[in-house]
Amino acid sequence: MYAFTFHRPQTVRQAAGLLAKNGDAKLLAGGQTLLPTMKLRLAGPPQVIDMTLIEGLSGIEMSGRSLTIGAMTTHNDVNTSPVVQQAIPSLAKLAGMIGDPAVRHRGTIGGSIANNDPNADYPAACLGLGATIITNKRRIKADDFFTGMFSTALEPAEIITKVSFPIPKKAAYQKFRNQASRFALVGVFVSKRGSEIRVAVTGAGANGVFRVASFEEALKKRFAPKSLEGMSIPADGMNSDIHGSAEYRAHLVGVLARRAVAEAIGKSA
Amino acid sequence: MSATGIGAAVRRKEDRRFITGTGHYTDDINRPGQAYAYFVRSPHAHATIKSIDTKAAAAMPGVLAVLTGAELAADKIGNLICGWMIHSKDGSPMKMAAHPALANGKACHVGDPVAVVIGETLAQARDAAEKVKIDYAVLPAVADPAAAQKPGAPQIHDIAPKNTIYQWSLGDAKAVDVAFKSANHVTKLDIINNRLVPNAIEPRAAIGEYDSGAGTFTLWNTTQNPHVARLVIAAFIGMAPEHKLRVIAPDVGGGFGSKIFIYPEEVVALWAAKRVGRPVKWVAERSEAFLADAHGRDHVTHAEMAFDAEGKILGLRAKTIANLGAYMSTFSSSVPTYLYATLLSGQYEIPQIYCEVDAVYTNTVPVDAYRGAGRPEATFVVERLVEVGAREMGQDPAELRRKNFVKKFPHQTPVIMMYDAGDYNASLKRAMELADYKGFARRKRESARQGKLRGIGFSTYIEACGIAPSQAVGSLGAGVGLWESAEVRVNPTGSVEILTGSHAHGQGHETTFAQVAAERLGIPIDNISVVHGDTDKVQFGMGTYGSRSGAVGMSALVKALDKIEAKAKKVAAHMLEAAEGDIEFKDGKFSVAGTDKSAAWGDVALNAYIAHKFSGQELEPGLKEGAFYDPTNFTFPAGCHICEVEVDPETGNADIVGWTAVDDFGVVINPMIVEGQVHGGIAQGIGQALCEGAVYDKDGQLVTGSFMDYCMPRADHLPPLKVDMTVTKCPSNPLGIKGCGEAGAIAAPAAVINAITDAIGTEQLAMPATPQAIWAALQKTNRMPQAA
């Protein structure tokens, strides 16, 4: 690790002020990506702004027909929350599939989606549920938030404070793990809310999380695995590495989408 | 059997300190005035070092020294060596290239140490290391062993044209050709034995210290064989005379072979300690370990097996290219030769075997022994050939094996080894019962109903352990003898210290060696301590590897205990005023035959030291004896592992759903520890088969350089393991022990791949059989589950 100045602001406003003043500063939420990267000296931010002393950034609550989760809420808290388990069980389950127990007790939802790792789970949930990302400045729809691998719509000095999820009628997440890292080699989140169908894919795309319009169209006719029978997506634009070729990833998108729909309607694929 | 003697499942004495964090590993040790070493490593696989500018680094805060290969050469520090001479078919000696501890003029793999910074703190050393300016001229690199000998491949060392270290063979090529001509069926396979990264839980570490007053060096080191390290560092590297160098291997957290070898970093820690006049500590980071610890396996093989019309094996031939990496590591030459080709007979009567091995240099981390060392590679060749042969000839794989098993002992194979004892049918039969082989067809239908492809695979392996008779290995090129030593020191109060040249790095010797002595002396196990891993305490020893500590190390202990008993009987005879021949020793008590006169162990021990009952002319005071034991043969553990898998044809994921292991390790000292060794070995073998594999890109960069990309087996890769044993005593050592440390890693890969290929209907599947690889193989067979 390189030496850095450690800031511990008490409010989001102070944190944003520090960010604005120090262009190379990094926010420390759960630190499950940032700290390993710093330890390997792959990152060396001169300023690190710790979010843990800021009150009101973690917590889970239902408000009307949506579920709001504070940015500093850990994966473990989401996983074990009776409120989440009741409102969006697939989201609670997804949180329990992230990393390992140590990561889940430290890592946070805000940190995960701000990082937008192309193999992370939460971006699939945000896009697959049509979440709204709330920052100190504005509300951003998930469809507009994830702009590419490790990049988001966040502006300098903009800080995620909450994520708001509308409650779906049916939803499920299927994850096929990279054996080594346990990130998603491919993860598919499907949901149905009224007439809105979403199919969001993480891990597979060379450009990060994305929706599959052809699958969504097919599922609009009937929300059942059969509607996706024989469907897959083109290998073009898929990520390709030693863990999975573009063809394999494209194939898995179809398999996992069918399994996710089956899980969402309570059947086996 | 006593509660703590031979055969008792005694809980491990050492575990309390290990699991409560009160052990003392090398990094737990800190010396007064200690400084820290950080290595600058080559980022290139193959490059000429045009210049190194250390000025900026040396000017950084806290820097004590910045050292390079030039200073090493100026101080006449010798090269690292490979200690096993192999000759090529044409009689020429192997081509051992110079291996300086710091690269001098050329870097040959990514991670090759080029310079070292010694700093007051690790952070300062590391900061300064970034300021060392090295001007490299990058050269083309080769990482693939199959490509290393091809025309146009980059030439790595001048001494080895076509990057070829040796072209060795074993067996009678002509006789094998004749056998193949008479064959009714020939099975042919192309096999890649994947390169593995060892990854012991404790990374390697070293502390070098120099006492300028006494002129002595001390090295604390994560080594499996401290005396061998001392010998090599003294005799070949020339750091210090042997009697002025003390090597201490404190608690060591796993080795699996990777801590046998003498590495650059420990040499540099010692050398730098003298240069800067301060103790110097180096501890590998995990990422560093990937680039600096000797890797394992990495063979490319074509193998053929000839059968007659009934399925009897007529002959086997194999051609292997073995990747030894950028330099020849300490025992690297022996692994793909005498530890590999000599096991190609498996458990079978094979009249003729011929094996050719080309060892090559590549621009990769050196390759050396890793759990099993050559024997997993041999087992994989033999057990794949037999399984595939059975499938091709439409025979039951168990029946084909049974038909070909060696049944009479001793049995001389055509590849050096003389099997002394075994009952291969007994372990096969027991394993088939435990695995419910008969119920497999039903289970396969059940899996099909769930949309899964089920397969079953056997591995009836053999290994040569108890390494090894010194004369025999000497005639095969070994630079050392492979006996073991033990010393038993009885204290005046009757407590006992056992000093052994074996070394424990997870095996539980503090418990098992004490069990052997407790049984023999009839004293509580808690009154016995085991001392190992310090060249100032133990006179000499060859260390622990090759499943040798029980078979060889404990045999030395038994010899020393024989001498202790003989001497103690003399003392007791004086105490009891009886003839020495009338003294009987049983359950910790010396008694005079036919009388009720007796003396307890503790009284005899005390009398040996107070020496009041005998004159010094009659008997020397004291009770301390040592012994060296040189085995007369290898030992031959063998057994049968059966693996059952379920493959998801949509994703290619293979789930191991059943595992049965029935092993014959001879006499077992502690069944709980043995079972743990079997579990661990199977886990490593499953790791090799399903997920582990070091991948280099075309430029020689290690793509799998961290746990994000290199997949170690996890708990959920393992099903519940059914482990049982059959016993035939080893006839060549006093306790009848064969050894158990490597068996699981040797047996498992073939069992897994035999099971998966059975499930998916193609033999074209390389390790690691990742979901992607299995899915790709299935795209060619299009096999779908058949529930009917």
Side-chain angles (χ1 to χ4, degrees), chain B residues 334-519:
Chain B
S334 65
V335 177
T337 50
Y338 291 109
L339 294 175
Y340 165 66
T342 53
L343 273 303
L344 286 174
S345 198
Q347 296 186 353
Y348 313 108
E349 250 184 73
I350 305 182
Q352 297 296 341
I353 295 173
Y354 181 64
C355 180
E356 289 178 284
V357 179
D358 284 11
V360 298
Y361 286 117
T362 60
N363 296 111
T364 61
V365 174
V367 177
D368 208 326
Y370 173 63
R371 200 172 193 172
R375 289 151 293 171
E377 296 92 316
T379 298
F380 194 75
V381 168
V382 176
E383 289 304 298
R384 285 289 292 139
L385 282 171
V386 170
E387 192 91 13
V388 174
R391 288 173 192 161
E392 288 174 349
M393 295 186 291
Q395 297 204 21
D396 179 83
E399 193 47 46
L400 183 71
R401 284 178 167 85
R402 199 177 287 125
K403 196 178 289 175
N404 285 286
F405 278 157
V406 171
K407 293 174 193 85
K408 281 191 196 136
F409 298 89
H411 172 80
Q412 177 64 56
T413 73
V415 278
I416 298 176
M417 293 300 175
M418 169 88 85
Y419 299 170
D420 53 4
D423 185 347
Y424 308 142
N425 203 28
S427 45
L428 175 70
K429 184 163 172 280
R430 179 72 184 130
M432 287 170 75
E433 286 163 10
L434 280 176
D436 183 21
Y437 186 62
K438 284 190 188 135
F440 174 72
R442 177 179 42 80
R443 293 193 295 278
K444 185 171 171 137
R445 287 193 298 274
E446 281 164 14
S447 295
R449 277 193 284 275
Q450 308 298 320
K452 301 283 173 59
L453 295 164
R454 199 176 186 103
I456 192 163
F458 289 80
S459 178
T460 52
Y461 73 96
I462 192 163
E463 45 174 335
C465 297
I467 289 174
S470 300
Q471 245 186 353
V473 296
S475 74
L476 304 178
V480 290
L482 288 169
W483 46 265
E484 196 45 83
S485 81
E487 191 177 313
V488 177
R489 296 179 184 170
V490 180
N491 297 316
T493 57
S495 65
V496 170
E497 284 148 35
I498 296 166
L499 290 82
T500 170
S502 299
H503 181 267
H505 27 279
Q507 293 87 344
H509 292 178
E510 290 170 48
T511 306
T512 51
F513 278 66
Q515 280 181 258
V516 171
E519 167 115 0

Side-chain angles (χ1 to χ4, degrees), chain B residues 269-287:
Chain B
L270 271 177
W271 170 60
K274 187 175 181 189
R275 295 259 323 194
V276 303
R278 302 261 297 268
V280 170
K281 176 187 269 190
W282 168 76
V283 180
E285 296 180 359
R286 182 61 64 185
S287 329

Side-chain angles (χ1 to χ4, degrees), chain A residues 38-39 42 68-69 71 73 80-81 86 99 110 114 117 122 125 155 169 188 213-214 242 251 263:
Chain A
M38 289 170 68
K39 280 160 93 174
L42 296 172
T68 303
I69 301 178
T73 310
T80 56
S81 158
Q86 172 80 33
D117 187 303
Y122 266 134
E155 288 165 1
K169 189 151 188 286
V188 179
S214 59
I242 60 166
H251 164 77
E263 186 184 332

Side-chain angles (χ1 to χ4, degrees), chain A residues 1-2 39-41 176 178-183 241-245 247-248 251-252 255 258-259, chain B residues 123 126-127 130 287 648 650-651 690-691 695 703-704 707-711 714 716-717 770-772 775:
Chain A
M1 220 176 250
Y2 295 105
K39 280 160 93 174
L40 290 167
R41 294 194 166 198
F176 194 82
N178 170 326
Q179 288 200 107
S181 69
R182 300 248 158 159
F183 275 82
D241 57 27
I242 60 166
H243 305 289
S245 64
E247 291 73 24
Y248 182 53
H251 164 77
L252 283 179
V255 172
R258 282 188 288 279
R259 291 183 182 182
Chain B
R126 194 171 178 173
D127 286 342
E130 291 182 4
S287 329
D648 178 345
E650 283 195 317
T651 63
L690 286 187
C691 60
V695 177
V703 178
T704 51
F707 291 142
M708 291 295 279
D709 292 302
Y710 187 89
C711 178
R714 289 177 162 89
D716 63 3
H717 281 111
T770 60
Q772 170 178 233
W775 177 78

Side-chain angles (χ1 to χ4, degrees), chain B residues 540-559:
Chain B
F540 209 95
M542 296 310 298
T544 287
Y545 38 81
S547 307
R548 68 190 303 274
S549 298
V552 189
M554 283 183 188
S555 296
L557 172 60
V558 169
K559 271 186 84 175

Side-chain angles (χ1 to χ4, degrees), chain B residues 112-411:
Chain B
D112 206 353
V114 177
V116 64
V117 179
I118 312 299
E120 292 283 354
T121 69
L122 179 59
Q124 287 173 326
R126 194 171 178 173
D127 286 342
E130 291 182 4
K131 305 287 181 193
V132 176
K133 288 195 197 81
I134 304 169
D135 188 6
Y136 291 102
V138 178
L139 302 166
V142 60
D144 176 2
Q149 295 173 304
K150 294 207 168 126
Q155 177 69 34
I156 300 169
H157 299 292
D158 292 341
I159 189 176
K162 290 189 173 172
N163 300 312
T164 302
I165 300 169
Y166 53 72
Q167 295 187 292
W168 174 90
S169 71
L170 185 66
D172 185 339
K174 281 199 189 118
V176 168
D177 286 345
V178 171
F180 270 75
K181 280 200 185 102
S182 68
N184 189 64
H185 178 82
V186 174
T187 292
K188 300 178 180 183
L189 281 178
D190 287 301
I191 290 169
I192 290 175
N193 206 290
N194 42 328
R195 174 184 274 252
L196 304 177
V197 182
N199 285 314
I201 195 164
E202 179 206 21
R204 286 193 299 116
I207 306 169
E209 184 168 307
Y210 179 64
D211 179 334
S212 61
T216 54
F217 289 84
T218 306
L219 174 67
W220 287 264
N221 192 18
T222 49
T223 174
Q224 299 176 216
N225 39 204
H227 291 89
V228 177
R230 183 177 67 153
L231 174 64
V232 171
I233 293 169
F236 295 94
I237 293 162
M239 182 74 60
E242 203 174 3
H243 64 294
K244 297 275 192 187
L245 172 59
R246 178 182 185 186
V247 177
I248 302 171
D251 286 333
V252 176
F256 312 109
S258 72
K259 291 173 181 168
I260 297 172
F261 322 120
I262 292 53
Y263 284 100
E265 295 86 0
E266 57 223 42
V267 172
V268 168
L270 271 177
W271 170 60
K274 187 175 181 189
R275 295 259 323 194
V276 303
R278 302 261 297 268
V280 170
K281 176 187 269 190
W282 168 76
V283 180
E285 296 180 359
R286 182 61 64 185
S287 329
E288 199 174 12
F290 271 91
L291 300 174
D293 294 1
H295 292 178
R297 319 278 193 255
D298 210 346
H299 285 195
V300 178
T301 297
H302 176 78
E304 302 182 356
M305 187 173 265
F307 299 90
D308 73 9
E310 276 75 51
K312 282 283 283 179
I313 304 169
L314 298 172
L316 182 159
R317 62 183 163 211
K319 169 78 203 272
T320 293
I321 302 173
N323 190 351
L324 296 194
Y327 304 101
M328 292 186 76
S329 176
T330 316
F331 290 112
S332 58
S333 56
S334 65
V335 177
T337 50
Y338 291 109
L339 294 175
Y340 165 66
T342 53
L343 273 303
L344 286 174
S345 198
Q347 296 186 353
Y348 313 108
E349 250 184 73
I350 305 182
Q352 297 296 341
I353 295 173
Y354 181 64
C355 180
E356 289 178 284
V357 179
D358 284 11
V360 298
Y361 286 117
T362 60
N363 296 111
T364 61
V365 174
V367 177
D368 208 326
Y370 173 63
R371 200 172 193 172
R375 289 151 293 171
E377 296 92 316
T379 298
F380 194 75
V381 168
V382 176
E383 289 304 298
R384 285 289 292 139
L385 282 171
V386 170
E387 192 91 13
V388 174
R391 288 173 192 161
E392 288 174 349
M393 295 186 291
Q395 297 204 21
D396 179 83
E399 193 47 46
L400 183 71
R401 284 178 167 85
R402 199 177 287 125
K403 196 178 289 175
N404 285 286
F405 278 157
V406 171
K407 293 174 193 85
K408 281 191 196 136
F409 298 89
H411 172 80

